[in-house]
């Protein structure tokens, strides 16, 4: 099956009360682990590529790996640009074969965010085939690429702005800020993890049927933080979003949940363990193979326990 856009996936997810997992990909093992889990569980899938991933792996390599996944699996898969920061970048990945893009103008003044999204929507929607566009309103705390957004710079999405923003830009989905954040350190030690479900509810009432996206939605699974620390790492007080909260959001208007940090933890913890337990190892397959299995297990866990999209493909 060729790559799909997110239109159909989100429509079914909204109606069915579940969300689609958008997993960040950077290399072959990550792509294989994700696609294997989703295929076994019959889960629709979004593979997303950040600007950093493009720089690291080269867009052509990633595209060809995703093409291989389409040959090996019959799942509906969308290939999405994560945190596109310019019209030119969005245009370039659309021309290259991506089926969905995020244009992230969340750091810009409101009117500038609107015009940037309008420009991308105009190009993407007039493209053949139609390309879906995700925009963002409100600003998440944390690290994305090389940009570090402090707690002071972060801001919740203002529900009063969403109708105007979505109507004027024509975007297909909207990422909102309700307390999630990027990276492994989402809450301070002792702080109780919380999401602003009141904001999500308000937005859902104002835009019935419109797909909402949650970024920064890793749970920072303790098993892997412990594994990293047990085998020579030193990750202080990493705290993520409790999975039941994400499950609740998935049953509401949230149709796309972004997960990267949990995959990084699973991969790194497993590699550290393999290296420590087999000090003579020098064949990369001996630690990248188990790391790929750990990614598969993590994605399977998310599909069943967080997203609820198993059996929906
Ligand atoms: O939101 C950011 C994602 O975790 C991607 O991270 O930009 O370091 O590839 P990256
Ligand atoms: P996490 O850092 O919580 O995995 O978020 C990833 C993300 O939002 C990618 O856009
Ligand atoms: Zn993000």
């Amino acid at each position: 099956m060729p790559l799909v856009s997110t239109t159909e996936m989100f429509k079914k997810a909204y109606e069915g009360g579940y969300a689609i997992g958008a997993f960040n990909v950077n290399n072959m093992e990550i792509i294989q682990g994700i696609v294997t889990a989703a295929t076994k569980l019959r889960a629709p899938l979004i593979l997303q590529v950040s600007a950093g991933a493009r720089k690291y792996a080269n867009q052509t390599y990633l595209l060809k790996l995703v093409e291989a996944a389409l040959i090996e699996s019959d799942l509906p898969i969308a290939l999405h640009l994560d945190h596109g920061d310019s019209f030119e970048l969005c245009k370039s990945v659309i021309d290259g074969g991506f089926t969905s893009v995020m244009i992230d103008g969340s750091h810009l003044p409101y009117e500038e965010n609107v015009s940037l999204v309008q420009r991308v929507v105009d190009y993407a929607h007039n493209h053949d085939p139609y390309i879906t566009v995700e925009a963002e309103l409100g600003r998440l705390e944390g690290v994305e690429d090389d940009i570090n957004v402090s707690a002071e710079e972060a801001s919740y999405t203002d529900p009063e702005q969403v109708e105007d923003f979505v109507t004027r830009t024509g975007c297909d989905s909207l990422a909102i800020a309700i307390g999630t954040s990027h990276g492994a350190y989402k809450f301070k030690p002792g702080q109780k993890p919380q999401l602003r479900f009141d904001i999500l509810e308000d937005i859902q009432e104002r835009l019935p049927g419109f797909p909402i996206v949650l970024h920064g939605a890793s749970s920072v699974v303790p098993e892997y933080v412990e594994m990293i620390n047990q085998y020579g790492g030193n990750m202080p007080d990493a705290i993520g979003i409790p999975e039941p909260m994400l499950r609740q959001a998935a049953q509401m208007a949230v149709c796309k949940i972004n997960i990267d940090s949990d995959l990084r933890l699973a991969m790194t913890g497993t590699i550290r363990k393999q290296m420590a337990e087999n000090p003579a190892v020098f064949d990369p397959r001996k630690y990248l193979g188990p790391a790929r299995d750990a990614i598969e297990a993590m994605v399977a866990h998310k599909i069943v326990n967080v997203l609820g999209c198993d059996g929906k493909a």
Side-chain angles (χ1 to χ4, degrees), residues 38-111:
T39 306
K40 284 184 184 166
L41 289 164
R42 307 302 310 152
L45 184 61
I46 300 172
L47 296 174
Q48 57 185 11
V49 172
S50 68
R54 277 176 96 237
K55 218 186 300 170
Y56 171 76
N58 175 316
Q59 177 170 307
T60 310
Y61 279 84
L62 290 175
L63 265 164
K64 293 294 167 190
L65 286 167
V66 172
E67 273 176 30
L70 295 172
I71 294 169
E72 293 294 319
S73 167
D74 59 348
L75 281 184
I77 300 179
L79 179 58
H80 175 78
L81 172 69
D82 191 26
H83 294 285
D85 64 353
S86 67
F87 170 80
E88 289 71 24
L89 175 54
C90 291
K91 179 179 182 304
S92 144
V93 304
I94 292 170
D95 295 347
F98 283 45
T99 50
S100 178
V101 294
M102 174 190 194
I103 177 69
D104 183 356
S106 60
H107 55 289
L108 297 170
Y110 183 78
E111 287 301 328

Side-chain angles (χ1 to χ4, degrees), residues 92-263:
S92 144
V93 304
I94 292 170
D95 295 347
F98 283 45
T99 50
S100 178
V101 294
M102 174 190 194
I103 177 69
D104 183 356
S106 60
H107 55 289
L108 297 170
Y110 183 78
E111 287 301 328
E112 285 177 42
N113 190 0
V114 170
S115 359
L116 180 60
V117 178
Q118 280 172 337
R119 203 169 158 220
V120 173
V121 165
D122 185 44
Y123 187 76
H125 288 184
N126 289 309
H127 187 271
D128 185 16
Y130 182 102
I131 304 296
T132 37
V133 178
E134 173 186 325
E136 180 166 334
L137 198 54
R139 195 151 193 222
L140 267 64
E141 193 184 333
V143 183
E144 51 190 76
D145 250 323
D146 296 329
I147 304 163
N148 193 344
V149 184
S150 69
E152 297 73 50
E153 290 166 316
S155 57
Y156 292 120
T157 304
D158 177 357
E160 301 217 335
Q161 288 183 328
V162 295
E163 269 172 285
D164 180 72
F165 188 83
V166 166
T167 313
R168 283 173 61 202
T169 60
C171 64
D172 302 278
S173 61
L174 184 68
I176 60 167
I178 57 166
T180 62
S181 61
H182 289 107
Y185 306 98
K186 300 186 191 298
F187 298 98
K188 311 245 163 354
Q191 195 183 357
K192 196 162 157 257
Q194 265 179 342
L195 292 186
R196 291 287 304 272
F197 280 101
D198 58 321
I199 297 181
L200 176 57
E201 249 165 43
D202 195 343
I203 292 172
Q204 185 168 338
E205 272 164 30
R206 289 167 191 265
L207 294 173
F210 190 80
I212 298 300
V213 177
L214 278 192
H215 281 246
S218 279
S219 295
V220 189
V221 176
E223 176 193 340
Y224 286 107
V225 177
E226 280 158 26
M227 196 184 280
I228 288 173
N229 288 343
Q230 186 184 346
Y231 295 102
N234 182 15
M235 287 189 65
D237 298 316
I239 305 170
I241 315 294
E243 290 185 342
M245 287 187 193
L246 296 166
R247 185 78 203 94
Q248 189 181 335
Q251 284 159 345
M252 299 169 69
V254 171
C255 294
K256 173 174 178 271
I257 291 190
N258 284 14
I259 297 169
D260 187 9
S261 294
D262 276 334
L263 303 187

